[in-house]
Structure formats: structure tokens, C-alpha cells
Amino acid sequence: MTQKQIVKTSKFLSLVLRHRPEVIGINLEAHGWVDVNELIDKSNANGREMNFELLQAIVKNNNKKRFAFNEDLTKIRASQGHSVEIELGYLPCNPPNILYHGTATRFIDSILKNGLIKGNRHHVHLSKDKETASNVGRRHGKLVILEVDAKSMHEKGCHFYVSENSVWLTENVPSEYLKEV
Ligand code: HQG
């Protein structure tokens, strides 16, 4: 199994477990889970090489721990980042006082006017450290990091969730809680 194969399959898993399960004819169950055997069979039937060892390697080595198995390794899901309507079952929790969001300079005017909005995804994604936020932001262009006053938002009753792979999630971030770093 090569690193190239792992990365390619990981991208394919992002597609089917977060956005378009229908491309291989699967449905996401409650909380986003998919039966591992069904995923393997239907991927192969659709011309995508898939086997349990490959899934294990991806769950274990993926740099962001994007995917997780259930306890008995019979189901797999993406831990966050979905666009399909799915309830992941995370419970609201206390955020750190400050969270970070990395984005591109070209979005800044709109963000400072309208706040952070979730777009196609379920939530706005935030990070607990600037380094992670930088990596997210750089994907979009020239980096800018925003500081989110999560403490004040939480005090005002906004809900925060943290995914299994430590991404902080919230519905939206009004601009008054944002500051450029
Ligand atoms: C921007 C990755 C204009 C927002 C990461 C971002 C994350 C606005 C872009 C996850 C805006 C959306 C998500 C507004 C927000 N006006 N632009 N009002 N509000 N934006 O990819 O946060 O690698 O949907 O700043 O690690 O970049 O896929 O969100 O630049 O956890 O596992 O609109 O994706 O995870 O872009 O990234 P995205 P994101 P994975």
C-alpha cells in the first residue's frame, strides 16, 4: 500500500462519507456511520479499490484524523466536515476562551460585515491553535487569521461542539466576536 494510494482513497472517502454517498449507492446511517463491509463492496463495485487494511491505514495515519471507526470496527464515518444533512451526535460543550479561524484575505471584507457563515457545511469550523487555523486558511489563498471571542459567544448562549478530531464547531460567528490577529 503506497502513500499515494492512501491519500487518493482518503480524498475519495471525504467525498462519499461527507458529501456524496450516492455516487457509490450508499446511505449514511444515524450520526454519519456507514457499514464497513458495505463501503468496501460498493467502492469496489464502482471501480475504487477498497479493503479493510486500507481503511485501517487511513483511520490511523490520516494527518487530521478525519475518519473514525466505531468500537467494534464494523462502521466508519467522517468526524466532521459534512455537507449532507446528518446529525453527528456531538453534545454542546464549553469552548476555550479564544478560538481561531484561518481564511483568505479576499474573504475578509465580507466576513467582517456578515460574520463567519457555514456555507455548505453544517457548522463554521474553528481551531484551538493558530497553527491549525493557518493550515486551513492557506488552502484558500493569502492567509489571515481571525480570533474568535468564544467565551463571550458561549456566555450569550451560542452552542459549541468539538469533533472527535478536535475541530471546534459552531453555527455561525457574528462579526462583533471577530478580531484580526
Ligand atoms: C469563508 C477542513 C466570505 C471561510 C478544515 C472559509 C476545516 C466567508 C470559506 C474544514 C464568510 C469556507 C472547513 C463570509 C466564511 N464571507 N467568506 N461571510 N464566512 N467564509 O472549506 O473553515 O481538511 O467550507 O473563512 O480543516 O476553510 O476537509 O471551510 O475560508 O475543518 O478535513 O468561506 O475543512 O477540513 O470554506 O474548512 P470551507 P474552512 P478537511
Side-chain angles (χ1 to χ4, degrees), residues 7-176:
V7 171
K8 198 173 157 207
T9 309
S10 176
K11 287 186 177 168
F12 170 68
L13 285 183
S14 283
L15 174 74
V16 295
L17 298 181
R18 286 172 163 177
H19 306 297
R20 300 191 57 205
E22 73 280 2
V23 298
I24 55 165
I26 55 171
N27 291 310
L28 304 191
E29 297 168 21
H31 297 178
W33 295 107
V34 165
D35 183 85
V36 166
N37 287 333
E38 189 186 353
L39 174 66
I40 291 171
D41 290 347
K42 297 217 168 135
S43 299
N44 284 311
N46 284 274
R48 285 286 182 158
E49 189 185 341
M50 190 69 76
N51 56 60
F52 188 66
E53 291 67 36
L54 195 48
L55 289 177
Q56 267 185 317
I58 290 168
V59 167
K60 195 159 162 239
N61 299 327
N62 185 269
N63 56 346
K64 286 183 65 187
K65 300 272 176 229
R66 290 182 179 90
F67 310 101
F69 284 118
N70 67 345
E71 251 169 44
D72 64 5
L73 311 183
T74 55
K75 293 181 182 200
I76 188 169
R77 72 172 180 178
S79 296
Q80 39 70 226
H82 300 71
S83 59
V84 287
E85 264 317 311
I86 199 83
E87 176 54 61
L88 290 169
Y90 293 129
L91 297 173
C93 60
N94 270 2
N97 291 348
I98 300 287
L99 285 166
Y100 299 95
H101 179 84
T103 188
T105 47
R106 66 196 154 97
F107 296 143
I108 260 307
D109 288 348
S110 168
I111 290 174
L112 293 179
K113 186 163 163 240
N114 305 310
L116 285 173
I117 51 176
K118 61 187 180 177
N120 287 335
R121 303 199 196 239
H122 291 187
H123 298 99
V124 167
H125 290 222
L126 306 171
S127 319
K128 63 181 180 314
D129 60 87
K130 286 186 211 166
E131 197 194 335
T132 310
S134 305
N135 292 334
V136 176
R138 272 194 209 102
R139 305 192 309 177
H140 295 288
K142 190 160 184 284
L143 174 69
V144 48
I145 299 181
L146 296 166
E147 203 174 276
V148 175
D149 182 357
K151 181 170 188 266
S152 301
M153 283 180 68
H154 191 242
E155 282 166 2
K156 280 265 158 66
C158 299
H159 287 165
F160 286 83
Y161 309 86
V162 62
S163 73
E164 198 170 334
N165 61 336
S166 308
V167 177
W168 282 87
L169 308 166
T170 195
E171 183 69 21
N172 68 305
V173 180
S175 55
E176 63 262 35

